[in-house]
Amino acid sequence: MSYGGFYLSDPIGNNEFSFNERENRKIYVPSLIKKEIHIDNFNLDFVKFGKAPSFIEIEDGVERVCYGLEHMYEIDLIIDAEKKKKIFLFDNHNHAFYFWCRSIISGHLKRGRSLLHVDQHKDTRLPPNFDVDIRDIDAVVNYTNRVLNVGNFIKPAMNFGIFSELVIVDSEYGMCLDMPSDYILDLDLDFFSKDMDYIDLDFRMSRVKDYIQGTDLITVATSPYFIEQERAIDMLERLLK
């Protein structure tokens, strides 16, 4: 199932931020490719960084152009003959909504599991509307990219009953909470940005590794506006090895 590989040039979705004040008014949504990797040979050498802007914002009066990934990745991580993890890796976090809906349609995700959201931010702003049929994948593509942005993609998932419970881990306190019994992990790698260094890195790494061990479906955002992409991929590789 194809996804991405197009530009947003109107003030919609992630391209709406400071649109009228920006000189660059076009961002790229990378195309999706599939990879299968065995845990014994795991590395992320195939992940390349994009050459087209994926997020642009005005920061302190200066236009900041951010570059994400060359592609999005659907990764089947083979643990053994009977066990694997499905990992969706992408740059801007709103794409998680597309992959959740797609996973329901394909049967990889059953409604009613908990969402464990590990992130520097809560991402629970209200979107402009909930006008989408999540059974229609083309409508989901349009909604994910034209309506949603990096800060408002969780409310629709809860509104449509994709998940029964939202557990947010955005602090040291959150990491001390008990994990849900049946969850999928939604990880933003900005949890390992320098802004989060007030929490011990080893503690963050250890706890997120526990979260990864406890689920078979993971969505991962590299969030180019909030963390250097090289650091993000390095952290993910360390978490999965």
Side-chain angles (χ1 to χ4, degrees):
M1 191 179 295
S2 63
Y3 180 57
F6 55 83
Y7 284 90
L8 298 178
S9 56
D10 296 322
I12 53 176
N14 288 320
N15 203 38
E16 188 173 4
F17 292 99
S18 303
F19 183 83
N20 291 328
E21 293 81 50
R22 285 163 29 200
E23 179 179 343
N24 299 283
R25 295 184 175 179
K26 184 168 68 172
I27 61 173
Y28 185 62
V29 178
S31 58
L32 176 68
I33 61 176
K34 190 168 184 176
K35 291 285 184 179
E36 183 176 279
I37 312 171
H38 196 282
I39 190 65
D40 292 340
N41 303 309
F42 179 79
N43 65 69
L44 292 175
D45 292 348
F46 59 87
V47 175
K48 307 299 181 185
F49 302 113
K51 297 180 180 179
S54 62
F55 197 94
I56 309 171
E57 176 64 294
I58 302 296
E59 186 177 285
D60 298 326
V62 177
E63 184 167 322
R64 184 176 165 201
V65 180
C66 302
Y67 298 85
L69 302 180
E70 182 179 35
H71 294 286
M72 301 188 214
Y73 301 90
E74 177 182 352
I75 303 170
D76 286 328
L77 182 60
I78 309 301
I79 309 301
D80 55 40
E82 299 181 353
K83 185 178 180 182
K84 70 177 181 180
K85 295 183 187 292
K86 176 77 75 174
I87 302 171
F88 294 105
L89 174 64
F90 43 85
D91 44 28
N92 290 323
H93 209 157
N94 54 301
H95 297 300
F97 183 81
Y98 166 81
F99 290 114
W100 297 334
C101 294
R102 173 180 157 169
S103 296
I104 288 176
I105 293 170
S106 68
H108 284 109
L109 173 61
K110 294 187 181 299
R111 291 174 184 259
R113 299 175 73 179
S114 298
L115 177 64
L116 182 59
H117 177 69
V118 180
D119 196 321
Q120 184 182 354
H121 312 93
K122 290 182 170 58
D123 297 339
T124 52
R125 297 175 186 168
L126 277 172
N129 61 65
F130 295 109
D131 298 337
V132 62
D133 181 353
I134 64 170
R135 300 166 298 180
D136 181 342
I137 197 63
D138 292 330
V140 170
V141 170
N142 183 72
Y143 183 74
T144 300
N145 290 281
R146 299 182 66 87
V147 178
L148 299 183
N149 62 43
V150 295
N152 64 13
F153 59 93
I154 288 181
K155 287 287 188 183
M158 304 308 295
N159 179 73
F160 290 114
I162 295 176
F163 304 108
S164 61
E165 176 190 24
L166 171 62
V167 178
I168 296 176
V169 175
D170 61 353
S171 64
E172 189 167 4
Y173 169 79
M175 286 190 290
C176 294
L177 298 174
D178 292 336
M179 288 186 288
S181 59
D182 183 23
Y183 64 90
I184 79 156
L185 174 61
D186 179 47
L187 172 63
D188 194 323
L189 292 166
D190 71 2
F191 195 66
F192 297 97
S193 72
K194 294 175 182 177
D195 290 340
M196 297 295 290
D197 280 351
Y198 68 93
I199 305 174
D200 180 72
L201 177 59
D202 288 340
F203 180 43
R204 279 179 286 161
M205 294 290 291
S206 174
R207 194 61 172 143
V208 174
K209 283 185 177 182
D210 289 341
Y211 299 150
I212 290 170
Q213 287 297 317
T215 187
D216 59 352
L217 180 60
I218 307 169
T219 48
V220 183
T222 63
S223 291
Y225 184 68
F226 298 105
I227 183 173
E228 301 86 350
Q229 295 299 271
E230 293 83 358
R231 178 181 174 92
I233 295 303
D234 176 63
M235 290 296 174
L236 181 60
E237 192 165 56
R238 291 166 62 182
L239 287 167
L240 292 173
K241 280 189 173 179

